[in-house]
């Protein structure tokens, strides 16, 4: 019983130390050690040791080339789409640069990407794909970063519809809700919803979403007479589960 | 050998949780292991797997291990009062543990509830398999 209490205390101590940044170096070392490459070791029988070794090396090189080629093709496709979308983004924010990042894992409502502090990542950066807002960087380590998806419950985004109605988008886990839209504004199904600039959260920090990024499309409007505001359900335009690459706005 | 296969199962659960599935698979497996095998090593496993998950999922170190250990600690307190392999105890403790873990991780009540339900069903399914295997072994020994 004592051991478990000591371990709990030690874990809490670790948490405190990491929050204050004291564990940055050992954490980076651990992260590097864990970033191991898994290599398939296949060795058919009937070959000499030397020949087997040569074939193994050749096989690995070819395998690496195929993987690289597949990655390049996927990256090119994503870049091509993003380039088209960047023209639109450029109109609203001329100084923005995009950093592509591969999605390592998805654990809704979070994404882990392969870019970290050493690539210039920082907390608060916007992640997009084809001008559609994916989310915001919430934590960064040396080689990886964690992105909170736009649909995450508790997220608040200042938004506007394509007809110009202003409101606040609330993440609801699976979907999103556009709220605080005055009844006098016109909300229609299938209207696009875009970001309208930054908003401050409960801690008083700026959430920092760039303007004119697509959030989603209105699927249902809730209007009640006698109420001050109307609401609308928003569906995201992306299937986050299929994302392989995202772009970070620097 | 048994310990190695146990390690393999727990690590596979952690890797699945990191890469593929959202329900808190690791804590479910750890709790099930703690119900069937006694020893301090479950706590050490929980601690190291928590650290592994924190590094790979870019969280502050100690977040997951504290949660895992806290859940195992609470479970071990009640385990002495209730028959530990009782389906109600197993389903209940796994539901509560997953709910707590998911709520702190995802900050979403609906998602946490659905994930906890899945975890509880998975645990009951595992319990059924374990109990059947144990009973069969007993019968064949007799």
């Amino acid at each position: 019983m004592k051991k478990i209490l000591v371990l709990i205390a030690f874990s809490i101590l670790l948490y405190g130390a990491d929050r204050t940044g004291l564990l940055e170096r050992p954490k980076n070392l651990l992260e590097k050690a864990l970033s191991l490459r898994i290599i398939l070791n296949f060795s058919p029988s009937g070959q000499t040791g030397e020949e087997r070794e040569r074939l193994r090396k050749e096989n690995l090189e070819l395998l690496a080339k195929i993987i690289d080629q597949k990655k390049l093709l996927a990256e090119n496709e994503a870049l091509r789409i993003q380039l088209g979308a960047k023209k639109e983004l450029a109109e609203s924010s001329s100084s923005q640069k995009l950093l592509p990042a591969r999605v390592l894992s998805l654990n809704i409502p979070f994404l882990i990407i392969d870019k970290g502090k050493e690539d210039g990542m920082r907390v608060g950066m916007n992640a997009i794909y084809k001008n559609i807002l994916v989310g915001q960087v919430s934590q960064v380590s040396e080689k990886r970063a964690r992105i909170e998806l736009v649909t995450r419950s508790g997220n608040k985004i200042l938004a506007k519809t394509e007809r110009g109605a202003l409101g606040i988008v609330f993440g609801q886990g699976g979907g999103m809700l556009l709220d605080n839209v005055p009844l006098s504004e016109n909300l229609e199904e299938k209207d696009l919803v875009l970001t309208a600039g930054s908003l401050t959260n409960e801690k008083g920090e700026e959430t920092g979403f760039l303007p004119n990024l697509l959030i989603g499309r209105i699927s249902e409007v809730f209007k009640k007479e006698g109420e001050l505001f109307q609401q609308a359900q928003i569906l995201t335009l992306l299937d986050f589960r299929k994302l392989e690459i995202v772009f970070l706005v620097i | 050998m048994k310990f190695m296969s146990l390690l393999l199962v727990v690590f596979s659960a952690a890797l699945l949780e990191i890469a593929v599935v959202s329900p808190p698979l690791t804590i479910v497996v750890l709790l099930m292991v703690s119900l069937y095998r006694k020893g301090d090593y479950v706590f050490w496993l929980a601690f190291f797997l928590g650290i592994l998950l924190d590094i790979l999922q870019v969280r502050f170190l100690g977040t997951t291990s504290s949660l895992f250990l806290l859940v195992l600690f609470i479970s071990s307190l009640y385990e002495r009062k209730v028959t530990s392999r009782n389906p109600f105890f197993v389903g209940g403790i796994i539901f509560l543990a997953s709910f707590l873990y998911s709520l702190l991780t995802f900050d979403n009540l609906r998602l946490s509830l659905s994930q906890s339900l899945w975890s509880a069903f998975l645990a009951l399914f595992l319990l059924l398999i374990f109990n059947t295997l144990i009973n069969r072994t007993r019968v064949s020994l007799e």
Side-chain angles (χ1 to χ4, degrees):
Chain A
M1 194 61 73
K2 266 184 191 173
K3 272 182 192 164
I4 188 169
L5 288 173
V6 170
L7 274 175
I8 292 173
F10 185 60
S11 301
I12 294 169
L13 207 72
L14 270 180
Y15 175 77
D18 197 21
R19 262 210 105 107
T20 48
L22 286 170
L23 294 176
E24 205 149 315
R25 274 191 71 146
K27 199 178 166 183
N28 292 342
L29 285 173
L30 270 172
E31 198 183 337
K32 268 181 198 165
L34 284 169
S35 307
L36 295 171
R37 276 190 174 181
I38 299 162
I39 301 165
L40 293 169
N41 206 344
F42 174 72
S43 53
S45 56
Q47 289 156 345
T48 61
E50 218 172 275
E51 195 182 0
R52 203 163 52 223
E53 186 57 25
R54 187 184 59 79
L55 284 171
R56 197 183 67 84
K57 273 185 185 168
E58 208 175 283
N59 193 24
L60 279 177
E61 276 169 21
L62 286 171
L63 205 67
K65 274 183 188 168
I66 291 170
I67 292 167
D68 282 347
Q69 202 177 10
K70 277 186 182 168
K71 278 181 189 168
L72 275 174
L73 279 172
E75 226 172 76
N76 275 350
E77 177 62 15
L79 278 167
R80 195 178 56 77
I81 296 164
Q82 192 59 47
L83 217 61
K86 199 187 169 186
K87 281 179 193 164
E88 290 167 41
L89 184 68
E91 285 166 18
S92 56
S93 46
S94 54
S95 60
Q96 309 297 345
K97 278 183 186 168
L98 297 176
L99 173 73
R102 277 204 194 93
V103 176
L104 294 176
S105 76
L106 168 74
N107 212 329
I108 285 177
F110 300 105
L111 275 180
I112 307 292
I113 55 165
D114 70 342
K115 292 284 185 287
K117 275 180 195 159
E118 60 181 29
D119 306 288
M121 295 283 299
R122 56 181 194 280
V123 173
M125 282 168 103
N126 289 189
I128 61 169
Y129 184 77
K130 294 192 221 173
N131 262 14
I132 303 168
L133 186 62
V134 173
Q136 197 172 30
V137 177
S138 64
Q139 247 173 294
V140 187
S141 72
E142 203 60 25
K143 288 181 177 295
R144 292 187 182 89
R146 186 182 178 87
I147 294 173
E148 270 182 9
L149 292 180
V150 72
T151 51
R152 184 179 184 265
S153 128
N155 263 355
K156 282 185 207 167
I157 309 163
L158 191 62
K160 61 183 180 195
T161 66
E162 55 185 310
R163 290 167 207 268
L166 273 172
I168 297 173
V169 169
F170 292 89
Q172 291 186 310
M176 288 168 284
L177 187 79
L178 176 66
D179 204 348
N180 292 21
V181 183
L183 271 184
S184 55
E185 296 284 359
N186 187 17
L187 286 185
E188 295 283 337
E189 275 181 28
K190 293 185 180 172
D191 273 3
L192 290 171
V193 181
L194 302 105
T195 52
S198 59
L199 191 76
T200 47
N201 63 14
E202 306 91 48
K203 292 172 197 164
E205 298 161 339
E206 278 216 353
T207 52
F209 285 107
L210 292 164
N212 298 324
L213 294 172
L214 274 170
I215 299 173
R217 195 185 282 280
I218 293 180
S219 62
E220 204 179 345
V221 181
F222 309 107
K223 230 181 232 187
K224 275 184 196 165
E225 273 188 39
E227 281 190 7
L228 278 174
F229 301 111
Q230 55 183 321
Q231 300 164 324
Q233 194 68 44
I234 304 171
L235 290 180
T236 175
L237 301 167
L238 285 173
D239 184 354
F240 297 122
R241 288 169 209 275
K242 287 181 183 165
L243 278 179
E244 285 183 7
I245 197 163
V246 291
F247 295 86
L248 283 308
V249 185
I250 303 171
Chain B
M1 190 62 195
K2 269 184 186 171
F3 181 71
M4 286 310 283
S5 29
L6 204 72
L7 265 184
L8 195 73
V9 170
V10 181
F11 270 95
S12 311
L15 287 177
L16 273 174
E17 189 180 329
I18 291 162
V20 193
V21 291
S22 323
L25 214 59
T26 320
I27 188 66
V28 174
V29 175
L30 277 171
L31 268 169
M32 293 301 289
V33 170
S34 78
L35 294 179
Y36 279 87
R37 301 273 308 248
K38 303 293 158 206
D40 289 341
Y41 68 91
V42 185
F43 301 134
W44 286 104
L45 257 178
F47 175 74
F48 286 113
L49 281 175
I51 298 287
L52 179 84
L53 282 171
D54 284 340
I55 291 171
L56 293 177
Q57 296 198 317
V58 196
R59 277 195 287 247
F60 289 117
L61 281 187
T63 317
T64 312
S65 41
S66 326
L67 272 171
F68 281 177
L69 288 165
L70 211 65
V71 166
L72 286 176
F73 176 64
I74 294 168
S75 151
S76 71
L77 287 180
Y78 279 94
E79 208 181 320
R80 291 167 189 192
K81 293 178 186 164
V82 192
T83 321
S84 62
R85 288 171 201 172
N86 177 330
F88 289 108
F89 173 75
V90 174
I93 197 82
I94 300 253
F95 177 82
L96 285 175
S98 311
F99 184 69
L100 178 77
Y101 178 71
S102 305
L103 200 66
L104 287 167
T105 314
F106 304 124
D107 192 18
N108 183 338
L109 192 70
R110 257 169 62 183
L111 187 74
S112 305
L113 271 173
S114 69
Q115 296 214 342
S116 326
L117 276 172
W118 276 114
S119 307
F121 282 129
L122 177 74
L124 289 174
F125 179 65
L126 287 175
L127 185 80
L128 190 77
I129 293 174
F130 287 166
N131 283 345
T132 316
L133 283 175
I134 289 168
N135 287 339
R136 270 190 195 170
T137 323
R138 240 183 243 158
V139 169
S140 64
L141 280 173
E142 279 166 11

